[in-house]
Amino acid sequence: MIRINKLFVTFLLMVMYQLIMSQTVHIRGRVTDNATGERLVEAAVFVKGTNINALTDTAGMYSLSLQKGNYTVSCSYIGYYQRDTKVRIDNSEVVVDFALTPNTQLSEVVVTSQSRDERVNNLQMGLEKLSASEIKRMPALLGEVDVIKAVQLLPGVQTVAEGSSGFSVRGGSPDQNLILLDNATVYNASHLLGFFSVFNNDVLRGLSLYKGDIPVKQGGRLSSLLDIRTKTEMPERLSATGGIGLISSRLMVEAPIGKRTSVMVGGRRSYADLFLKMSNNETLKETSVYFYDTNAKITHRFSDSDRLEINGYYGKDHFGANLGLFDYGNATASAAWSHIFSEKMFSNVGIYLSDYNYIIESKLEGAKAKWQSSINDITLRIDFTHPISALWNPEYGFSTTLHRFKPGFVTMQGFDDWVLPGNKSLEYNLYASNEQQFSERFSVKYGVRWSLFQNVGKATVFHYNEDYQSVDSTVYPSGKVYNSYSAFEPRAGVTFKLTASSSVKANYAHNVQFIQIANNSSAGSPLDVWFSASPNVKPQEADLYSVGYFRNLKNDEYELSLELYYKDLKNVIDFAEHSELMLNNKLDGQIRTGRGRAYGAELMARKNSGRLNGFVNYTLSRSERTIPEINNGKTYLAPFDKTHSLNIVANYELSRKCSLSAIWIYATGNPTTYPSGRFAVTGEYFPIYSGRNEYRRPDYHRLDLSFTFSPDVNKTRRWKSEWNISLFNAYNKNNPWIISYLQDSDTGRPYAEMMYLFGIVPSITYNFKF
């Protein structure tokens, strides 16, 4: 009887499947640049009058399922004019290709980086997108438009410190964010100690931020994925974009080479060091402070089915004086080959390299020393996309990464070299996912990622007693796999359309993290030391649950959303009181682990068009940790907990030539530990500190303003320019950067000193394009 029932259920499901598929017809096609034939990735294809839409994949392909009838199918893409096509759907599959024409104006009229109803229809939750044109509109610090500063304005995202490029997502630490530039990992995204990011907006196509619900093809972090992509469009002719500012200048040049190849090169450099050399002060003349970076990209189409992309990035920061120097920098490189097997199967194979390193050198006579540290990765990825029908859109693939950690190599005059043992690890990942659209209202996605992490010798592993004292050690030879962790990371989501312009969504994601930063400062530092899971350090894990309501109004001119989330953390890492993290070969003895949780609500309202546009978002959140050896086992606030956060971004078009932009930011102050008392020993006073993160710093708020004048907007000539005048911190709020706790040398009375970075900072930049 059981077997008969199973056969009946199977038969019934097959009949239902055939009924569904018999009523729908598959429509597919490719989106390309009309001038160059270059395929456009993540172009929006949607059916007017319905809630059916799709984005093109890395091959520029899309697919939709429609009932029989007459429709108008539209396609739009950032920097291109929208195109509409009337289509009649009968019994057979329909192919509709789009060739879009570029919009060559300097200031694009689009406001969002996605189709306006994508937030309603997309199965992904916690996804935020920004285009390069959106980022360019925002007021700039010292005249330099900054990608990371734009990300910090999104709901659920917090800056970790004034002027910093680090950011916290839903209460997580900065090292819980995976930052990718063309699929290569960026370990430190800062220039000038965080005042600028390493990303040159001129070379970028846009960014996507996944807050917890990370696509299964990526992983290795608990909180978020920031996926940044450079331009993919093949230029029709030689063109350039650049800008000249008070602190730095930049230039990006792109050009076709023949009909199948294109080249893009972009660079930036600051020149504060040039002004220092003009000083009358001899010390300042010998001081050098600058950063530079370079992006390069070569794209070659072997055929309509095969494309090769080679990307490279190199950036460096330099701080030098008579006494010594401090240098740090990132480098990434990648080579990715995409292939179209058929209209229903695509692949992408890539090799990705990443390196982050820093050097500190003392030049003092008699005390010369040098400290070098680095982390680098080599990754191989193979991804397949296989859209079959509305019910089967599988993606699957494999990746493997070799991590190499070199925490410290120290040479000191008069002493033997001191080498902190480096270590290696291997990470393997398999993934598969699928999206199913059962009807115009109901869609689901699900997938699983399997990860294997292995520690590889040569290595020395210390063993600790219950008091975290080292009692023994084991030495493993080179190439020996001496420890392994494996993990399954299931992820699922469901979307139900209430109406054509509203939906509710629910998502679950399990994330695992194998590498992290040793840092007990909330502000972050270029001296961060990365370390991996090991026999003494278990991988961190997080379970994220989220639900949301999404609504568009007035033909998608307005977007509203509410997302609720709860994050349960396991093996969350913190460090013992007064721990020594730098140049410590027994670092794992300073680590304490426990549980954590984070929960909150994110509200977003966006106006997409009109002379006045922008967005407002508010986040109410809490992030806590409970670790037995810290704070006497009592639950305490995580370092990046901020109860309230409000961001307002507004753009107003005064005329076709003039526009205004404004940003206002408010956030609850970071948790901190204050001295709450003191005691005296033989006349000398010592502080008594409160519980871990028991107090808060003052609340943070700031207003930034920007004015843009575009004199050439109505002219047909190729050279177009604009002037941008920005005012950072317009009402001169002294937001705390560092708070030091000191005591009077005479009375012993304690007092606090606050250091802040910025008052009002004006800037002017001349931008051009030809």
Side-chain angles (χ1 to χ4, degrees):
M1 180 63 70
I2 295 176
R3 183 179 180 185
I4 292 175
N5 287 339
K6 287 184 177 179
L7 290 173
F8 176 75
V9 170
T10 302
F11 174 75
L12 184 61
L13 291 173
M14 292 176 63
V15 170
M16 292 174 62
Y17 174 80
Q18 291 298 326
L19 286 174
I20 292 172
M21 296 308 296
S22 65
Q23 300 299 315
T24 61
V25 177
H26 204 55
I27 178 173
R28 58 178 175 81
R30 179 181 297 175
V31 180
T32 58
D33 183 299
N34 184 48
T36 65
E38 180 71 6
R39 47 197 166 192
L40 302 180
V41 180
E42 290 191 359
V45 182
F46 53 97
V47 182
K48 287 190 173 181
T50 75
N51 53 26
I52 299 174
N53 67 93
L55 294 177
T56 57
D57 55 26
T58 55
M61 305 292 293
Y62 75 92
S63 63
L64 300 167
S65 292
L66 295 171
Q67 303 288 329
K68 299 174 184 178
N70 296 315
Y71 299 93
T72 299
V73 182
S74 300
C75 182
S76 63
Y77 190 69
I78 296 295
Y80 288 76
Y81 292 104
Q82 180 175 307
R83 182 176 175 186
D84 301 334
T85 299
K86 294 186 180 298
V87 178
R88 178 174 177 79
I89 305 296
D90 293 318
N91 293 321
S92 58
E93 185 178 63
V94 177
V95 177
V96 179
D97 294 328
F98 290 94
L100 302 185
T101 302
N103 180 350
T104 57
Q105 292 183 355
L106 179 64
S107 299
E108 294 95 338
V109 296
V110 294
V111 176
T112 63
S113 60
Q114 51 195 356
S115 62
R116 292 183 180 179
D117 58 355
E118 184 180 349
R119 291 175 66 87
V120 172
N121 295 312
N122 198 335
L123 276 164
Q124 200 80 38
M125 274 191 68
L127 172 60
E128 306 289 346
K129 292 185 176 182
L130 288 173
S131 68
S133 59
E134 289 177 86
I135 298 169
K136 187 184 71 175
R137 285 190 182 90
M138 297 181 180
L141 170 61
L142 300 175
E144 186 71 27
V145 174
D146 192 276
V147 171
I148 298 297
K149 298 296 187 294
V151 169
Q152 292 170 348
L153 297 172
L154 298 175
V157 183
Q158 308 282 356
T159 179
V160 298
E162 171 79 300
S164 172
S165 289
F167 60 96
S168 167
V169 176
R170 292 179 171 176
S173 57
D175 64 343
Q176 293 176 357
N177 306 314
L178 176 62
I179 302 176
L180 299 179
L181 178 62
D182 289 323
N183 270 331
T185 302
V186 177
Y187 278 101
N188 190 305
S190 71
H191 276 316
L192 291 182
L193 303 178
F195 297 150
F196 303 105
S197 76
V198 299
F199 305 110
N200 181 352
N201 194 57
D202 287 341
V203 306
L204 301 184
R205 176 164 56 93
L207 63 87
S208 300
L209 176 69
Y210 300 85
K211 297 178 292 187
D213 184 23
I214 301 172
V216 293
K217 68 170 61 177
Q218 301 289 356
R221 299 294 189 275
L222 299 186
S223 292
S224 76
L225 163 66
L226 178 58
D227 188 9
I228 299 175
R229 300 299 178 103
T230 55
K231 292 183 175 182
T232 58
E233 303 86 5
M234 182 173 288
E236 182 180 357
R237 57 190 176 186
L238 174 68
S239 61
T241 302
I244 302 172
L246 297 179
I247 300 298
S248 65
S249 293
R250 66 191 194 279
L251 178 66
M252 185 276 292
V253 179
E254 55 184 344
I257 302 177
K259 295 183 178 180
R260 294 186 175 272
T261 306
S262 66
V263 176
M264 178 183 71
V265 178
R268 295 185 297 172
R269 193 191 191 280
S270 65
Y271 30 72
D273 56 314
L274 302 181
F275 295 109
L276 292 175
K277 294 184 183 301
M278 302 177 187
S279 172
N280 294 325
N281 187 298
E282 291 299 323
T283 301
L284 290 179
K285 279 187 176 182
E286 299 299 325
T287 302
S288 57
V289 178
Y290 63 84
F291 75 83
Y292 65 85
D293 56 39
T294 303
N295 293 82
K297 183 168 192 170
I298 300 175
T299 303
H300 179 73
R301 288 185 297 150
F302 294 96
S303 65
D304 290 341
S305 300
D306 293 276
R307 182 178 65 173
L308 175 67
E309 285 189 2
I310 300 175
N311 295 280
Y313 167 85
Y314 181 79
K316 181 180 179 181
D317 283 70
H318 173 78
F319 303 84
N322 286 331
L323 301 180
L325 63 83
F326 171 40
D327 290 349
Y328 71 94
N330 291 275
T332 66
S334 64
W337 170 50
S338 59
H339 175 68
I340 302 175
F341 292 94
S342 67
E343 283 101 359
K344 294 186 178 181
M345 188 170 183
F346 328 114
S347 69
N348 191 81
V349 180
I351 298 176
Y352 307 93
L353 309 178
S354 176
D355 180 83
Y356 173 69
N357 64 83
Y358 57 82
I359 299 174
I360 300 176
E361 184 176 354
S362 168
K363 298 180 180 180
L364 288 173
E365 194 62 39
K368 293 182 179 180
K370 181 186 289 187
W371 172 18
Q372 303 176 69
S373 180
S374 68
I375 176 175
N376 55 70
D377 293 346
I378 303 175
T379 299
L380 170 67
R381 292 191 59 87
I382 303 175
D383 301 304
F384 293 93
T385 304
H386 197 176
I388 300 173
S389 68
L391 290 178
W392 298 104
N393 289 280
E395 294 185 1
Y396 45 90
F398 165 82
S399 67
T400 181
T401 300
L402 170 64
H403 302 283
R404 288 184 286 195
F405 305 87
K406 297 178 182 179
F409 176 75
V410 180
T411 59
M412 186 174 295
Q413 187 176 5
F415 296 90
D416 293 335
D417 293 347
W418 183 19
V419 181
L420 278 178
N423 57 82
K424 299 177 182 178
S425 59
L426 285 168
E427 189 173 346
Y428 304 92
N429 307 108
L430 290 170
Y431 77 89
S433 65
N434 187 33
E435 293 186 2
Q436 292 184 297
Q437 182 180 352
F438 291 99
S439 68
E440 288 189 13
R441 288 181 176 267
F442 183 63
S443 302
V444 299
K445 72 178 181 73
Y446 50 86
V448 65
R449 176 183 177 89
W450 177 76
S451 300
L452 174 64
F453 187 88
Q454 297 179 322
N455 299 108
V456 182
K458 184 178 181 181
T460 300
V461 177
F462 294 95
H463 308 291
Y464 301 90
N465 60 21
E466 59 184 12
D467 297 321
Y468 294 94
Q469 301 297 317
S470 176
V471 295
D472 197 3
S473 64
T474 303
V475 178
Y476 295 96
S478 178
K480 172 70 174 179
V481 175
Y482 61 88
N483 181 65
S484 297
Y485 290 107
S486 64
F488 280 95
E489 301 174 63
R491 296 164 194 174
V494 58
T495 296
F496 183 77
K497 295 292 294 295
L498 300 173
T499 66
S501 59
S502 65
S503 66
V504 291
K505 303 180 187 180
N507 277 92
Y508 167 76
H510 180 74
N511 300 327
V512 179
Q513 181 164 337
F514 296 103
I515 66 173
Q516 48 272 315
I517 287 177
N519 193 340
N520 51 14
S521 167
S522 62
S525 162
L527 303 181
D528 292 336
V529 174
W530 287 83
F531 67 98
S532 69
S534 68
N536 294 316
V537 182
K538 293 182 179 180
Q540 299 182 82
E541 300 181 39
D543 290 287
L544 176 68
Y545 309 86
S546 54
V547 295
Y549 172 73
F550 302 83
R551 176 68 186 271
N552 287 6
L553 302 170
K554 290 191 175 181
N555 294 321
D556 302 325
E557 181 180 353
Y558 295 91
E559 296 180 25
L560 303 175
S561 66
L562 168 64
E563 294 190 40
L564 307 176
Y565 68 88
Y566 181 88
K567 184 161 53 174
D568 184 36
L569 301 165
K570 181 181 178 183
N571 301 326
V572 63
I573 287 176
D574 210 330
F575 297 92
E577 301 287 354
H578 313 297
S579 55
E580 295 290 336
L581 304 183
M582 298 292 102
L583 299 176
N584 187 346
N585 64 343
K586 298 180 181 178
L587 177 65
D588 46 4
Q590 304 292 320
I591 294 171
R592 307 292 183 264
T593 60
R595 300 193 68 93
R597 65 174 183 169
Y599 52 92
E602 300 168 359
L603 292 91
M604 178 81 159
R606 180 193 292 266
K607 187 175 185 292
N608 289 317
S609 59
R611 295 180 65 183
L612 176 64
N613 56 70
F615 60 82
V616 178
N617 62 65
Y618 168 73
T619 303
L620 174 67
S621 63
R622 189 171 181 86
S623 180
E624 302 172 335
R625 295 176 180 176
T626 305
I627 298 177
E629 297 86 1
I630 295 177
N631 203 40
N632 297 317
K634 299 177 182 178
T635 299
Y636 61 96
L637 294 176
F640 309 102
D641 174 80
K642 294 186 179 182
T643 307
H644 304 285
S645 174
L646 176 65
N647 299 309
I648 302 175
V649 177
N651 305 299
Y652 184 71
E653 185 179 335
L654 298 170
S655 66
R656 284 185 57 83
K657 293 185 177 182
C658 301
S659 63
L660 287 173
S661 297
I663 296 174
W664 189 73
I665 301 169
Y666 169 82
T668 304
N670 279 31
T672 189
T673 304
Y674 283 160
S676 57
R678 59 176 179 163
F679 66 95
V681 177
T682 63
E684 185 174 356
Y685 291 93
F686 298 90
I688 300 173
Y689 285 92
S690 66
R692 177 75 70 98
N693 293 340
E694 197 169 287
Y695 295 92
R696 287 189 182 274
R697 292 185 174 191
D699 291 352
Y700 181 99
H701 53 91
R702 191 187 78 232
L703 173 68
D704 302 335
L705 300 172
S706 176
F707 172 76
T708 301
F709 174 62
S710 305
D712 305 316
V713 70
N714 295 319
K715 298 179 180 179
T716 57
R717 63 183 185 181
R718 289 191 60 191
W719 181 277
K720 295 183 182 297
S721 63
E722 67 179 23
W723 289 92
N724 178 270
I725 301 172
S726 294
L727 201 60
F728 182 87
N729 196 11
Y731 54 73
N732 197 31
K733 175 65 169 64
N734 295 336
N735 291 298
W737 184 50
I738 295 175
I739 298 179
S740 303
Y741 308 106
L742 308 170
Q743 62 181 10
D744 188 276
S745 58
D746 296 327
T747 65
R749 185 177 181 84
Y751 66 95
E753 280 188 353
M754 184 188 79
M755 180 185 297
Y756 67 93
L757 286 177
F758 302 113
I760 299 176
V761 183
S763 62
I764 183 169
T765 304
Y766 175 72
N767 299 312
F768 58 88
K769 180 178 182 179
F770 64 86

